[in-house]
Amino acid sequence: MTPKATILTSDEVRRALTRIAHEIIERNKGAQQLALIGVHTRGIPLAARLAQKLSELEGVDVPTGMLDITLYRDDLSEVAQQPIIRETQVPFDLRDRRVVLVDDVLYTGRTVRAALDALIDLGRPAGIQLAVLVDRGHRELPIRADYVGKNLPTAANEVVKVKVQETDGVDSVELWDLEALR
Amino acid sequence: MNAPVSMGPRPRNLLDFQDWTPERLTAILDNADTMLQVLDRPVKKVPALQGLTVCNAFFENSTRTRTSFELAARRMSADVLTFAAGASSVNKGESLRDTLEVLTSYKVDAYIVRHHASGAAHLVAKYSGKPVINAGDGRRAHPTQALLDAYTVRQEFGSLEGKTVAILGDVRHSRVARSNAELLPKLGAKVVLCGPATLLPAGLAALPGVTLTTDPREAVRGAHAVMALRLQRERMTGGFLGSLQEYADTYQVNERLMQEAESGAVVLHPGPMNRDLEISGEAADGPRSRILKQVENGQAIRMSVLYHLLVGRE
């Protein structure tokens, strides 16, 4: 099985993340008081990489965390027979911090809504921004990303697969036909 | 997001552990870690059970189990209907089945049942058609208590594999002992049940991973956790004991007896305690005691059980 198209190669993923890191610095006038929180699963390594880039560019260690949104989903009765709960770890105080929520793909917006609810239950950040590697459209909620690696208009019967070195051994973004994956 | 195949089909109820695979039981313990984190946050609540109504149907007196379940359900955002038999039409002669029909008409989504009769939770499961969690039925089972006991021991030692849990006292009348004897070996631990011969049903020795002894020193030797059971005098209809003093002298969990256990062994008690009878005040309050930890863990375990039974696709 092969993807319909390769949207981002390894180098392009790297460049997209570098650009996002610059945009984060630009918008926040530096990296002080920032925090990066990755949404399970692939948002976590992407958040870690952005933190590394911010550190290289600004000389600031930006704290990172991981967020599982399972208990906040609005489709828990449909998503799986037994939705799996993963680890949430935010080992710093959110108060007065500007949090950048990081995910791989922005689609309906429901994951981000759940993540916002989960995050606000953990504390009261000064603000929350959203960074995604791919925005594929089809929003069902009024949510938009502040930082986007690649805007990718898609059809509903297409699947965007993001692969990252840390879990998949390679960095790439691919477009697949849903039928081909069934 | 699908559950691993090895977990097996999802049981509809938690009445005992018969239909529950070790993998699924381990998942309940694993998810309790997350629930403990929720309980440690400024907002001690998640919306996972929003829109569902859980009925706390308690036909037998209970304080800690009832409040623990009630809080657990509320922490998961369920609505809770608490039904206490003492203040209900059960006292006017209404049958369990009729009571259930009334409760079901309130659109209850799940039942948590405590009853003095063994098998009552099965009956509720049969007639209600909704998921049922057994919160203690007669002498038969108290699965969430056993899960929180297992969780407390795992929390202490990292794993239950190869650990020994000694359970001392009134085994005959204890649903806690039975459920622990059923659960702990499924998770890799050994169970030693100990008490006077009159309170130690020989049939329990047939359970895998379970041994029986009337000698408390032998029971505790090498144990990683020692659980004292409440002497259930209200359930004793015959002369099971010579005297309470004699019982305390022999079977009380105290510092002297704990010297026989592993050096890092912990003391457990399902509560409520008869201090200085089945457990000494020193052991109950001492550094080895994890009795309050059990209470705290109980809420997290019950949240996890509710999640496992009520969340997800049919």
Side-chain angles (χ1 to χ4, degrees):
Chain A
M1 282 199 308
T2 51
K4 203 165 154 179
T6 297
I7 305 300
L8 296 177
T9 62
S10 173
D11 275 346
E12 287 165 335
V13 168
R14 180 176 51 78
R15 282 188 213 113
L17 290 174
T18 303
R19 182 168 48 75
I20 289 174
H22 280 286
E23 287 173 10
I24 290 172
I25 292 165
E26 182 73 24
R27 177 168 172 158
N28 294 284
K29 299 180 175 59
Q32 298 289 344
Q33 289 307 107
L34 277 182
L36 293 167
I37 295 184
V39 179
H40 272 285
T41 304
R42 286 175 181 76
I44 293 166
L46 293 177
R49 283 198 230 172
L50 282 171
Q52 177 65 32
K53 286 183 190 295
L54 293 174
S55 165
E56 286 164 14
L57 294 167
E58 289 291 291
V60 175
D61 280 336
V62 177
T64 59
M66 54 175 86
L67 193 65
D68 179 67
I69 55 113
T70 308
L71 294 169
Y72 288 82
R73 293 182 74 115
D74 60 6
D75 59 352
L76 266 174
S77 58
E78 297 154 28
V79 67
Q81 195 213 47
Q82 189 77 78
I84 296 165
I85 304 174
R86 298 182 181 88
E87 195 180 3
T88 288
Q89 207 178 77
V90 180
F92 48 85
D93 195 344
L94 287 171
R95 255 179 312 179
D96 303 327
R97 281 198 186 273
R98 276 162 294 158
V99 172
V100 181
L101 201 59
V102 183
D103 205 356
D104 54 353
V105 179
L106 177 57
Y107 185 25
T108 62
R110 288 177 188 269
T111 299
V112 174
R113 183 209 61 84
L116 291 172
D117 284 350
L119 202 52
I120 287 165
D121 278 357
L122 292 176
R124 191 175 185 279
I128 303 174
Q129 299 162 16
L130 176 63
V132 296
L133 187 59
V134 179
D135 182 349
R136 62 165 294 188
H138 301 278
R139 216 75 81 239
E140 293 169 6
L141 299 171
I143 282 169
R144 64 166 182 79
D146 299 280
Y147 314 102
V148 180
K150 174 80 178 172
N151 279 297
L152 179 66
T154 58
N157 63 354
E158 290 173 327
V159 174
V160 176
K161 282 178 83 168
V162 172
K163 294 180 180 172
V164 291
Q165 188 74 43
E166 292 84 342
T167 53
D168 310 294
V170 63
D171 284 338
S172 69
V173 176
E174 297 168 348
L175 188 66
W176 289 72
D177 261 330
L178 185 60
E179 279 306 311
L181 292 172
R182 276 186 177 149
Chain B
M1 290 281 283
N2 286 317
V5 174
S6 62
M7 280 173 78
R10 182 169 72 166
R12 186 164 171 78
N13 308 298
L14 179 60
L15 304 173
D16 47 42
F17 297 115
Q18 277 179 16
D19 302 330
W20 288 74
T21 61
E23 292 77 14
R24 199 169 278 281
L25 293 165
T26 301
I28 289 182
L29 303 190
D30 291 344
N31 286 346
D33 289 343
T34 301
M35 303 311 178
L36 269 188
Q37 283 179 1
V38 170
L39 295 176
D40 216 22
R41 296 181 340 194
V43 179
K44 300 169 185 60
K45 197 164 184 164
V46 290
L49 300 187
Q50 202 163 34
L52 299 182
T53 303
V54 172
C55 179
N56 232 351
F58 275 59
F59 296 87
E60 184 187 69
N61 291 339
S62 161
T63 304
R64 73 186 66 204
T65 305
R66 183 175 52 77
T67 50
S68 176
F69 265 116
E70 184 163 338
L71 269 177
R74 289 188 195 282
R75 306 285 198 209
M76 302 290 282
S77 296
D79 291 319
V80 181
L81 170 64
T82 295
F83 165 80
S88 78
S89 293
V90 171
N91 276 347
K92 299 176 189 168
E94 188 174 70
S95 73
L96 174 58
R97 193 173 170 179
D98 287 339
T99 305
L100 271 175
E101 280 176 2
V102 172
L103 294 172
T104 302
S105 66
Y106 292 134
K107 311 288 183 203
V108 166
D109 295 293
Y111 289 91
I112 295 158
V113 178
R114 169 170 287 210
H115 204 285
H116 52 80
S118 301
H122 280 83
L123 205 66
V124 175
K126 184 177 167 188
Y127 288 121
S128 71
K130 299 289 180 185
V132 171
I133 299 171
N134 185 358
D137 63 336
R139 302 176 186 182
R140 216 187 59 83
H142 195 352
T144 57
Q145 176 68 43
L147 280 165
L148 76 88
D149 294 335
Y151 183 72
T152 307
V153 176
R154 192 180 84 158
Q155 201 174 44
E156 201 65 33
F157 299 100
S159 163
L160 286 159
E161 197 65 49
K163 302 297 178 296
T164 300
V165 178
I167 302 175
L168 277 79
D170 184 0
V171 176
R172 175 178 293 277
H173 299 102
S174 175
R175 53 198 175 204
V176 174
R178 263 166 234 274
S179 280
N180 268 297
E182 199 183 336
L183 172 69
L184 291 166
K186 276 195 170 202
L187 300 174
K190 284 186 271 185
V191 173
V192 184
L193 299 173
C194 174
T198 49
L199 295 176
L200 197 63
L204 291 177
L207 291 171
V210 176
T211 53
L212 267 52
T213 175
T214 55
D215 180 349
R217 287 163 63 92
E218 182 190 320
V220 168
R221 204 166 294 139
H224 299 84
V226 178
M227 184 190 302
L229 297 172
R230 185 170 67 88
L231 199 57
Q232 300 193 35
R233 282 174 285 178
E234 77 278 13
R235 291 184 197 268
M236 292 185 190
T237 49
F240 288 99
L241 298 171
S243 76
L244 292 179
Q245 190 57 52
E246 188 187 324
Y247 175 84
D249 287 347
T250 313
Y251 290 100
Q252 184 184 86
V253 173
N254 51 35
E255 285 303 313
R256 183 166 42 86
L257 186 63
M258 286 304 292
Q259 284 173 12
E260 301 287 330
E262 285 285 299
S263 60
V266 294
V267 171
L268 305 174
H269 193 299
M273 287 184 283
N274 294 305
R275 273 173 187 269
D276 298 319
L277 183 52
E278 72 261 2
I279 187 167
S280 71
E282 202 184 4
D285 303 327
R288 289 174 182 271
S289 174
R290 298 293 178 272
I291 296 170
L292 288 177
K293 202 70 174 160
Q294 286 175 277
V295 177
E296 185 186 340
N297 290 342
Q299 207 182 125
I301 280 290
R302 285 164 182 135
M303 288 167 75
S304 184
V305 167
L306 285 166
Y307 177 83
H308 275 261
L309 283 178
L310 300 184
V311 162
R313 232 174 18 224
E314 284 285 320

